Amino acid sequence: MGSPNTLGSLRTVTETRRAGAIAIVALSAPPVNALSEALRLGIRDGVAAAEADPEVAAIVLIGAGRMFCGGADITEFGRPWQGIGLGELLDRVEDCAKPVVAAIHGMALGGGLELALACHYRLATPAARLGQPEVKLGLVPGAGGTQRLPRLVGTEKALEMIVSGEPVDGRAALDLGLLDALADEEGLEAEALAFAGRLVAEGRGPRRVREDDSRLEHGRIGLFAAAREAAARRYRGFEAPQACIACVEAAGTLPFAEALAFEERTFFALMAGAQSIAQRHAFFAEREAAKIPDLPADARRRPVRRVALAGADLAGAAFAGAAEGPARRLAAILSQAAGLTVLRAEGAAPPDFAGCDLVLVGEARDLASHDADPEAILAVAADAPDPAALAEGPRPERMLGLHPGAPLPGAPSPGSRLLEILRGPATAPEVLATALSLARGLGRVAVVTRGGFIGPRMLGRLRREAGRLVHEGASPEQVARVLTEFGLTAAPLGLDAVAPAGEPAAGHHRRAVSDDEILERCLDTLVDAGARILEAGGALRASDIDVVWLAGYGWPAYRGGPMHGADAQGLPALRDRLRARADRGGPDDAPAPLIERLAAEGGRFADLDRRRG
């Protein structure tokens, strides 16, 4: 093949070199080769230089580092394109007069897959992941994904990929017709060069996806109606899935350029909308939750392989069916995890703690009579563990709390995606780091808190307010319906059968309570509870509180979390409503001091997070 020759130093984010008559344009913008302005310009210049070079017969586009391209740079969302827009770049790639081959490893997601679709041929490794996850950010693919993908794989399969946002691996992509060939992980570049060489030898030029409508199924009766009906059931309340269907439908009913323009208009309309803003907030909030400022980066993370369940309430809890209460739900989650050995009590006999990395109990007192390995984590899983017990237990530096959130319907295992980690006053950094690592290994989103678990504390306030509403005249069924229509799942939160808060007082008259009042009071109460936790240092960030509710209590992603919702509405309005309630109901209904302060400053919870960050 000979040694590669440098075509020229175009941009630091691309490396362009030659292997005989084949130019290699490598995307080099770690860690994920996101399509930032610099990378877009680098690709444009690299392809243009190769196209203009008379010694180049074909071009291979490949990702440096661990992947092809993770997609658009979402930090640029909401701002006009700079340099060159992604759609314009892809048109230039597709218009190239010499064949362009995408060589894919790792991931080609979102804009990364759209880039591959604009290339004339595609190879990938079997383990590569290819997909259009924009719908999970409340968006449609915005650079031709809804137009080129159905032309390659057919309308029905494209709908499945785009509306679900779920990726496929290399083998599935080959079966779908998304790829021309599979390539070995270690030999990807060499195989891509060989493939490009065969194209040249056989005289095969560019093959543009936009020019082949043969796989479009726009005439298939009922296809889109069925897709809309299925999306309405599966993604209740979400706007983006329906918008994705409309864009794919346009691929078969409009000329390519017009359908592309429709997709672009849809993309920017959704980007400016409340749902996408909320979903993008949720995306970033989940990543921020993993950042613990005072946890040393080199804190030891001990592997957790053996778990002991202590306490009579956990006997038999290794079975998924025994999943009532946080300790039993967490025990069931641990029991289903691959690579974990879970020891549980047999009858009255406690499990053998020898060699266990984690001892889980429902109450701290259950640890008192047992001897655990000095290195073991001692974890308490209760809705409201006593913080003092974490400080005064047998080894307070090894103690923390764990809470799996609510048992949401349809969750992959008992509980939710959440794992709250309650940091005790003396919890060692190594113990916290190990718990964070365990959460990742369990596929859960970790949120670190102090003083008590965020979710149960806020849920307790919500239930009390719901009880007050029933006391005043609402029915439990009405409260549950209002919150379900908002997007919550009422039953696991105990909101489908709320008991009145107290007995009617002499002369008390029940009244009609409107749906609007129920929703307003419930949401305001939640935000006030969150603000008090935040002000007391119980949560690192307001966005962490949102993550707890998004990942642990069924808060709909398109609403972004209770604190985000309050920011979007405006804190002065929230403060005024809480003040009015305090005038009627007493000082316990007064707004949290943090709400008062931020409202007076014209600030938001998000501003507070930025200052703390």
Side-chain angles (χ1 to χ4, degrees), residues 373-417:
D373 189 303
E375 294 290 300
I377 294 177
L378 310 177
V380 179
D383 281 335
D386 181 4
L390 298 182
E392 300 166 1
R395 282 191 296 279
E397 74 283 357
R398 311 300 301 173
M399 294 188 71
L400 47 70
L402 298 174
H403 196 284
L408 300 178
S413 58
S416 58
R417 290 194 306 127

mmCIF file of all heavy atoms in Angstrom, residues 373-417:
data_model
loop_
_atom_site.group_PDB
_atom_site.id
_atom_site.type_symbol
_atom_site.label_atom_id
_atom_site.label_comp_id
_atom_site.label_asym_id
_atom_site.label_seq_id
_atom_site.Cartn_x
_atom_site.Cartn_y
_atom_site.Cartn_z
ATOM 1 N N ASP A 373 -16.923 -7.583 56.892
ATOM 2 C CA ASP A 373 -15.557 -7.332 56.459
ATOM 3 C C ASP A 373 -15.227 -5.857 56.694
ATOM 4 O O ASP A 373 -16.047 -4.984 56.382
ATOM 5 C CB ASP A 373 -15.451 -7.666 54.966
ATOM 6 C CG ASP A 373 -14.028 -7.635 54.466
ATOM 7 O OD1 ASP A 373 -13.389 -6.584 54.609
ATOM 8 O OD2 ASP A 373 -13.568 -8.651 53.906
ATOM 9 N N PRO A 374 -14.048 -5.547 57.239
ATOM 10 C CA PRO A 374 -13.696 -4.138 57.495
ATOM 11 C C PRO A 374 -13.753 -3.260 56.254
ATOM 12 O O PRO A 374 -13.943 -2.054 56.351
ATOM 13 C CB PRO A 374 -12.264 -4.226 58.042
ATOM 14 C CG PRO A 374 -12.139 -5.605 58.567
ATOM 15 C CD PRO A 374 -12.996 -6.463 57.711
ATOM 16 N N GLU A 375 -13.605 -3.870 55.074
ATOM 17 C CA GLU A 375 -13.626 -3.105 53.828
ATOM 18 C C GLU A 375 -15.017 -3.024 53.212
ATOM 19 O O GLU A 375 -15.218 -2.326 52.213
ATOM 20 C CB GLU A 375 -12.674 -3.754 52.816
ATOM 21 C CG GLU A 375 -11.209 -3.701 53.199
ATOM 22 C CD GLU A 375 -10.676 -2.282 53.122
ATOM 23 O OE1 GLU A 375 -10.710 -1.678 52.051
ATOM 24 O OE2 GLU A 375 -10.237 -1.768 54.170
ATOM 25 N N ALA A 376 -15.986 -3.718 53.790
ATOM 26 C CA ALA A 376 -17.317 -3.776 53.185
ATOM 27 C C ALA A 376 -18.044 -2.444 53.319
ATOM 28 O O ALA A 376 -17.895 -1.716 54.308
ATOM 29 C CB ALA A 376 -18.141 -4.886 53.827
ATOM 30 N N ILE A 377 -18.869 -2.148 52.311
ATOM 31 C CA ILE A 377 -19.780 -1.007 52.402
ATOM 32 C C ILE A 377 -21.010 -1.449 53.177
ATOM 33 O O ILE A 377 -21.576 -2.520 52.928
ATOM 34 C CB ILE A 377 -20.200 -0.534 50.999
ATOM 35 C CG1 ILE A 377 -18.992 0.021 50.242
ATOM 36 C CG2 ILE A 377 -21.292 0.519 51.078
ATOM 37 C CD1 ILE A 377 -19.307 0.432 48.824
ATOM 38 N N LEU A 378 -21.427 -0.637 54.123
ATOM 39 C CA LEU A 378 -22.611 -0.906 54.921
ATOM 40 C C LEU A 378 -23.708 0.037 54.442
ATOM 41 O O LEU A 378 -23.628 1.249 54.649
ATOM 42 C CB LEU A 378 -22.312 -0.693 56.408
ATOM 43 C CG LEU A 378 -21.045 -1.398 56.930
ATOM 44 C CD1 LEU A 378 -20.809 -1.063 58.398
ATOM 45 C CD2 LEU A 378 -21.152 -2.906 56.731
ATOM 46 N N ALA A 379 -24.701 -0.510 53.760
ATOM 47 C CA ALA A 379 -25.696 0.319 53.089
ATOM 48 C C ALA A 379 -27.068 0.143 53.716
ATOM 49 O O ALA A 379 -27.523 -0.985 53.931
ATOM 50 C CB ALA A 379 -25.758 -0.031 51.606
ATOM 51 N N VAL A 380 -27.728 1.263 53.978
ATOM 52 C CA VAL A 380 -29.081 1.270 54.528
ATOM 53 C C VAL A 380 -30.025 1.713 53.427
ATOM 54 O O VAL A 380 -29.812 2.743 52.774
ATOM 55 C CB VAL A 380 -29.178 2.235 55.724
ATOM 56 C CG1 VAL A 380 -30.602 2.245 56.283
ATOM 57 C CG2 VAL A 380 -28.177 1.854 56.801
ATOM 58 N N ALA A 381 -31.071 0.915 53.197
ATOM 59 C CA ALA A 381 -32.061 1.247 52.175
ATOM 60 C C ALA A 381 -33.416 1.396 52.846
ATOM 61 O O ALA A 381 -34.094 0.413 53.110
ATOM 62 C CB ALA A 381 -32.106 0.174 51.097
ATOM 63 N N ALA A 382 -33.788 2.633 53.157
ATOM 64 C CA ALA A 382 -35.082 2.937 53.764
ATOM 65 C C ALA A 382 -35.527 4.286 53.223
ATOM 66 O O ALA A 382 -34.699 5.101 52.812
ATOM 67 C CB ALA A 382 -34.973 2.981 55.291
ATOM 68 N N ASP A 383 -36.821 4.539 53.218
ATOM 69 C CA ASP A 383 -37.293 5.828 52.706
ATOM 70 C C ASP A 383 -36.724 6.997 53.503
ATOM 71 O O ASP A 383 -36.380 8.032 52.930
ATOM 72 C CB ASP A 383 -38.820 5.881 52.752
ATOM 73 C CG ASP A 383 -39.470 5.115 51.600
ATOM 74 O OD1 ASP A 383 -38.806 4.959 50.553
ATOM 75 O OD2 ASP A 383 -40.618 4.672 51.753
ATOM 76 N N ALA A 384 -36.623 6.828 54.806
ATOM 77 C CA ALA A 384 -36.160 7.924 55.656
ATOM 78 C C ALA A 384 -35.184 7.406 56.702
ATOM 79 O O ALA A 384 -35.497 7.350 57.897
ATOM 80 C CB ALA A 384 -37.352 8.607 56.326
ATOM 81 N N PRO A 385 -33.973 7.012 56.297
ATOM 82 C CA PRO A 385 -32.992 6.549 57.282
ATOM 83 C C PRO A 385 -32.565 7.694 58.189
ATOM 84 O O PRO A 385 -32.550 8.861 57.778
ATOM 85 C CB PRO A 385 -31.825 6.056 56.418
ATOM 86 C CG PRO A 385 -31.950 6.817 55.149
ATOM 87 C CD PRO A 385 -33.411 7.031 54.934
ATOM 88 N N ASP A 386 -32.227 7.355 59.398
ATOM 89 C CA ASP A 386 -31.787 8.359 60.364
ATOM 90 C C ASP A 386 -30.358 8.771 60.034
ATOM 91 O O ASP A 386 -29.440 7.943 60.122
ATOM 92 C CB ASP A 386 -31.862 7.757 61.773
ATOM 93 C CG ASP A 386 -31.434 8.752 62.837
ATOM 94 O OD1 ASP A 386 -31.156 9.916 62.499
ATOM 95 O OD2 ASP A 386 -31.351 8.352 64.013
ATOM 96 N N PRO A 387 -30.123 10.033 59.623
ATOM 97 C CA PRO A 387 -28.750 10.443 59.307
ATOM 98 C C PRO A 387 -27.790 10.226 60.477
ATOM 99 O O PRO A 387 -26.614 9.919 60.268
ATOM 100 C CB PRO A 387 -28.893 11.932 58.980
ATOM 101 C CG PRO A 387 -30.322 12.092 58.558
ATOM 102 C CD PRO A 387 -31.084 11.120 59.397
ATOM 103 N N ALA A 388 -28.307 10.353 61.696
ATOM 104 C CA ALA A 388 -27.443 10.144 62.860
ATOM 105 C C ALA A 388 -26.951 8.709 62.918
ATOM 106 O O ALA A 388 -25.821 8.439 63.338
ATOM 107 C CB ALA A 388 -28.191 10.502 64.143
ATOM 108 N N ALA A 389 -27.788 7.764 62.443
ATOM 109 C CA ALA A 389 -27.379 6.362 62.468
ATOM 110 C C ALA A 389 -26.212 6.116 61.522
ATOM 111 O O ALA A 389 -25.366 5.259 61.779
ATOM 112 C CB ALA A 389 -28.561 5.470 62.085
ATOM 113 N N LEU A 390 -26.160 6.879 60.435
ATOM 114 C CA LEU A 390 -25.032 6.744 59.520
ATOM 115 C C LEU A 390 -23.751 7.299 60.122
ATOM 116 O O LEU A 390 -22.654 6.902 59.744
ATOM 117 C CB LEU A 390 -25.330 7.469 58.196
ATOM 118 C CG LEU A 390 -26.510 6.954 57.383
ATOM 119 C CD1 LEU A 390 -26.637 7.746 56.089
ATOM 120 C CD2 LEU A 390 -26.357 5.474 57.065
ATOM 121 N N ALA A 391 -23.907 8.232 61.037
ATOM 122 C CA ALA A 391 -22.728 8.831 61.672
ATOM 123 C C ALA A 391 -22.277 8.069 62.903
ATOM 124 O O ALA A 391 -21.119 8.154 63.310
ATOM 125 C CB ALA A 391 -23.034 10.281 62.058
ATOM 126 N N GLU A 392 -23.196 7.293 63.509
ATOM 127 C CA GLU A 392 -22.880 6.651 64.780
ATOM 128 C C GLU A 392 -22.872 5.134 64.688
ATOM 129 O O GLU A 392 -22.834 4.446 65.699
ATOM 130 C CB GLU A 392 -23.920 7.079 65.830
ATOM 131 C CG GLU A 392 -23.956 8.581 66.056
ATOM 132 C CD GLU A 392 -25.185 9.013 66.830
ATOM 133 O OE1 GLU A 392 -25.984 8.125 67.197
ATOM 134 O OE2 GLU A 392 -25.344 10.223 67.057
ATOM 135 N N GLY A 393 -22.918 4.588 63.487
ATOM 136 C CA GLY A 393 -22.948 3.142 63.318
ATOM 137 C C GLY A 393 -21.620 2.509 63.678
ATOM 138 O O GLY A 393 -20.685 3.169 64.134
ATOM 139 N N PRO A 394 -21.518 1.215 63.402
ATOM 140 C CA PRO A 394 -20.303 0.496 63.791
ATOM 141 C C PRO A 394 -19.050 1.007 63.083
ATOM 142 O O PRO A 394 -17.981 1.066 63.676
ATOM 143 C CB PRO A 394 -20.606 -0.960 63.395
ATOM 144 C CG PRO A 394 -21.752 -0.882 62.430
ATOM 145 C CD PRO A 394 -22.532 0.322 62.802
ATOM 146 N N ARG A 395 -19.171 1.395 61.834
ATOM 147 C CA ARG A 395 -18.036 1.979 61.089
ATOM 148 C C ARG A 395 -18.590 3.086 60.206
ATOM 149 O O ARG A 395 -18.864 2.884 59.013
ATOM 150 C CB ARG A 395 -17.343 0.903 60.245
ATOM 151 C CG ARG A 395 -16.418 0.008 61.068
ATOM 152 C CD ARG A 395 -15.541 -0.856 60.181
ATOM 153 N NE ARG A 395 -16.301 -1.800 59.389
ATOM 154 C CZ ARG A 395 -16.752 -2.966 59.862
ATOM 155 N NH1 ARG A 395 -16.519 -3.304 61.120
ATOM 156 N NH2 ARG A 395 -17.424 -3.790 59.085
ATOM 157 N N PRO A 396 -18.765 4.287 60.729
ATOM 158 C CA PRO A 396 -19.460 5.345 59.983
ATOM 159 C C PRO A 396 -18.783 5.704 58.665
ATOM 160 O O PRO A 396 -19.460 6.127 57.726
ATOM 161 C CB PRO A 396 -19.453 6.535 60.951
ATOM 162 C CG PRO A 396 -18.411 6.215 61.966
ATOM 163 C CD PRO A 396 -18.372 4.731 62.075
ATOM 164 N N GLU A 397 -17.469 5.504 58.578
ATOM 165 C CA GLU A 397 -16.782 5.830 57.317
ATOM 166 C C GLU A 397 -17.141 4.861 56.197
ATOM 167 O O GLU A 397 -16.952 5.153 55.017
ATOM 168 C CB GLU A 397 -15.265 5.857 57.525
ATOM 169 C CG GLU A 397 -14.600 4.501 57.686
ATOM 170 C CD GLU A 397 -14.795 3.879 59.076
ATOM 171 O OE1 GLU A 397 -15.419 4.549 59.941
ATOM 172 O OE2 GLU A 397 -14.317 2.758 59.304
ATOM 173 N N ARG A 398 -17.697 3.675 56.568
ATOM 174 C CA ARG A 398 -18.093 2.682 55.570
ATOM 175 C C ARG A 398 -19.590 2.728 55.268
ATOM 176 O O ARG A 398 -20.082 1.946 54.458
ATOM 177 C CB ARG A 398 -17.749 1.255 56.045
ATOM 178 C CG ARG A 398 -16.351 1.046 56.576
ATOM 179 C CD ARG A 398 -15.285 1.363 55.568
ATOM 180 N NE ARG A 398 -15.379 0.578 54.343
ATOM 181 C CZ ARG A 398 -14.610 0.802 53.275
ATOM 182 N NH1 ARG A 398 -13.730 1.798 53.285
ATOM 183 N NH2 ARG A 398 -14.725 0.056 52.198
ATOM 184 N N MET A 399 -20.332 3.632 55.907
ATOM 185 C CA MET A 399 -21.795 3.618 55.818
ATOM 186 C C MET A 399 -22.326 4.668 54.853
ATOM 187 O O MET A 399 -21.789 5.772 54.749
ATOM 188 C CB MET A 399 -22.411 3.826 57.197
ATOM 189 C CG MET A 399 -22.138 2.680 58.168
ATOM 190 S SD MET A 399 -23.066 2.845 59.703
ATOM 191 C CE MET A 399 -24.731 2.491 59.139
ATOM 192 N N LEU A 400 -23.395 4.293 54.173
ATOM 193 C CA LEU A 400 -24.138 5.221 53.328
ATOM 194 C C LEU A 400 -25.543 4.677 53.139
ATOM 195 O O LEU A 400 -25.876 3.587 53.607
ATOM 196 C CB LEU A 400 -23.438 5.442 51.981
ATOM 197 C CG LEU A 400 -22.930 4.252 51.162
ATOM 198 C CD1 LEU A 400 -24.062 3.429 50.568
ATOM 199 C CD2 LEU A 400 -22.034 4.738 50.029
ATOM 200 N N GLY A 401 -26.376 5.439 52.476
ATOM 201 C CA GLY A 401 -27.733 5.008 52.170
ATOM 202 C C GLY A 401 -27.896 4.800 50.682
ATOM 203 O O GLY A 401 -27.244 5.468 49.868
ATOM 204 N N LEU A 402 -28.762 3.888 50.314
ATOM 205 C CA LEU A 402 -29.082 3.621 48.907
ATOM 206 C C LEU A 402 -30.597 3.574 48.750
ATOM 207 O O LEU A 402 -31.290 2.972 49.577
ATOM 208 C CB LEU A 402 -28.474 2.297 48.435
ATOM 209 C CG LEU A 402 -26.953 2.166 48.451
ATOM 210 C CD1 LEU A 402 -26.536 0.743 48.081
ATOM 211 C CD2 LEU A 402 -26.306 3.170 47.504
ATOM 212 N N HIS A 403 -31.117 4.187 47.688
ATOM 213 C CA HIS A 403 -32.559 4.171 47.443
ATOM 214 C C HIS A 403 -32.810 4.065 45.945
ATOM 215 O O HIS A 403 -32.280 4.849 45.159
ATOM 216 C CB HIS A 403 -33.222 5.436 47.989
ATOM 217 C CG HIS A 403 -34.706 5.331 48.123
ATOM 218 N ND1 HIS A 403 -35.560 5.398 47.043
ATOM 219 C CD2 HIS A 403 -35.509 5.149 49.216
ATOM 220 C CE1 HIS A 403 -36.813 5.264 47.454
ATOM 221 N NE2 HIS A 403 -36.814 5.110 48.770
ATOM 222 N N PRO A 404 -33.644 3.077 45.520
ATOM 223 C CA PRO A 404 -33.823 2.834 44.089
ATOM 224 C C PRO A 404 -34.968 3.583 43.427
ATOM 225 O O PRO A 404 -35.292 3.320 42.268
ATOM 226 C CB PRO A 404 -34.089 1.331 44.050
ATOM 227 C CG PRO A 404 -34.861 1.087 45.320
ATOM 228 C CD PRO A 404 -34.294 2.038 46.336
ATOM 229 N N GLY A 405 -35.596 4.526 44.116
ATOM 230 C CA GLY A 405 -36.725 5.215 43.505
ATOM 231 C C GLY A 405 -37.995 4.396 43.582
ATOM 232 O O GLY A 405 -38.102 3.419 44.324
ATOM 233 N N ALA A 406 -38.991 4.805 42.804
ATOM 234 C CA ALA A 406 -40.301 4.161 42.858
ATOM 235 C C ALA A 406 -40.338 2.932 41.950
ATOM 236 O O ALA A 406 -39.607 2.852 40.973
ATOM 237 C CB ALA A 406 -41.390 5.152 42.435
ATOM 238 N N PRO A 407 -41.211 1.956 42.247
ATOM 239 C CA PRO A 407 -41.358 0.766 41.388
ATOM 240 C C PRO A 407 -42.229 1.083 40.186
ATOM 241 O O PRO A 407 -43.415 0.799 40.154
ATOM 242 C CB PRO A 407 -42.045 -0.240 42.320
ATOM 243 C CG PRO A 407 -42.859 0.616 43.236
ATOM 244 C CD PRO A 407 -42.099 1.900 43.426
ATOM 245 N N LEU A 408 -41.626 1.677 39.152
ATOM 246 C CA LEU A 408 -42.420 2.181 38.036
ATOM 247 C C LEU A 408 -42.837 1.054 37.092
ATOM 248 O O LEU A 408 -42.040 0.170 36.780
ATOM 249 C CB LEU A 408 -41.619 3.228 37.262
ATOM 250 C CG LEU A 408 -41.205 4.443 38.101
ATOM 251 C CD1 LEU A 408 -40.384 5.388 37.251
ATOM 252 C CD2 LEU A 408 -42.426 5.161 38.653
ATOM 253 N N PRO A 409 -44.065 1.096 36.587
ATOM 254 C CA PRO A 409 -44.510 0.078 35.631
ATOM 255 C C PRO A 409 -43.649 0.113 34.376
ATOM 256 O O PRO A 409 -43.278 1.181 33.891
ATOM 257 C CB PRO A 409 -45.958 0.495 35.311
ATOM 258 C CG PRO A 409 -46.359 1.396 36.421
ATOM 259 C CD PRO A 409 -45.112 2.071 36.891
ATOM 260 N N GLY A 410 -43.327 -1.052 33.854
ATOM 261 C CA GLY A 410 -42.562 -1.126 32.619
ATOM 262 C C GLY A 410 -41.075 -0.963 32.799
ATOM 263 O O GLY A 410 -40.323 -1.011 31.837
ATOM 264 N N ALA A 411 -40.614 -0.745 34.040
ATOM 265 C CA ALA A 411 -39.180 -0.619 34.273
ATOM 266 C C ALA A 411 -38.520 -1.968 34.035
ATOM 267 O O ALA A 411 -39.135 -3.017 34.233
ATOM 268 C CB ALA A 411 -38.909 -0.137 35.703
ATOM 269 N N PRO A 412 -37.233 -1.978 33.612
ATOM 270 C CA PRO A 412 -36.585 -3.247 33.303
ATOM 271 C C PRO A 412 -36.388 -4.143 34.507
ATOM 272 O O PRO A 412 -36.171 -5.335 34.375
ATOM 273 C CB PRO A 412 -35.236 -2.822 32.705
ATOM 274 C CG PRO A 412 -35.030 -1.423 33.179
ATOM 275 C CD PRO A 412 -36.381 -0.825 33.311
ATOM 276 N N SER A 413 -36.434 -3.583 35.696
ATOM 277 C CA SER A 413 -36.329 -4.365 36.919
ATOM 278 C C SER A 413 -37.051 -3.600 38.005
ATOM 279 O O SER A 413 -37.411 -2.438 37.808
ATOM 280 C CB SER A 413 -34.855 -4.589 37.286
ATOM 281 O OG SER A 413 -34.197 -3.356 37.439
ATOM 282 N N PRO A 414 -37.300 -4.212 39.159
ATOM 283 C CA PRO A 414 -38.052 -3.506 40.199
ATOM 284 C C PRO A 414 -37.380 -2.181 40.517
ATOM 285 O O PRO A 414 -36.181 -2.085 40.685
ATOM 286 C CB PRO A 414 -37.989 -4.463 41.392
ATOM 287 C CG PRO A 414 -37.787 -5.801 40.787
ATOM 288 C CD PRO A 414 -36.932 -5.568 39.580
ATOM 289 N N GLY A 415 -38.169 -1.127 40.589
ATOM 290 C CA GLY A 415 -37.606 0.190 40.807
ATOM 291 C C GLY A 415 -37.461 0.896 39.477
ATOM 292 O O GLY A 415 -37.996 0.498 38.457
ATOM 293 N N SER A 416 -36.695 1.948 39.466
ATOM 294 C CA SER A 416 -36.569 2.806 38.312
ATOM 295 C C SER A 416 -35.128 2.794 37.835
ATOM 296 O O SER A 416 -34.351 1.924 38.196
ATOM 297 C CB SER A 416 -36.963 4.221 38.741
ATOM 298 O OG SER A 416 -36.110 4.618 39.817
ATOM 299 N N ARG A 417 -34.751 3.778 37.013
ATOM 300 C CA ARG A 417 -33.357 3.878 36.584
ATOM 301 C C ARG A 417 -32.483 4.538 37.640
ATOM 302 O O ARG A 417 -31.277 4.612 37.500
ATOM 303 C CB ARG A 417 -33.265 4.726 35.306
ATOM 304 C CG ARG A 417 -33.834 4.073 34.072
ATOM 305 C CD ARG A 417 -33.385 4.821 32.829
ATOM 306 N NE ARG A 417 -33.689 6.238 32.904
ATOM 307 C CZ ARG A 417 -32.795 7.207 32.722
ATOM 308 N NH1 ARG A 417 -31.537 6.939 32.481
ATOM 309 N NH2 ARG A 417 -33.165 8.469 32.805
#
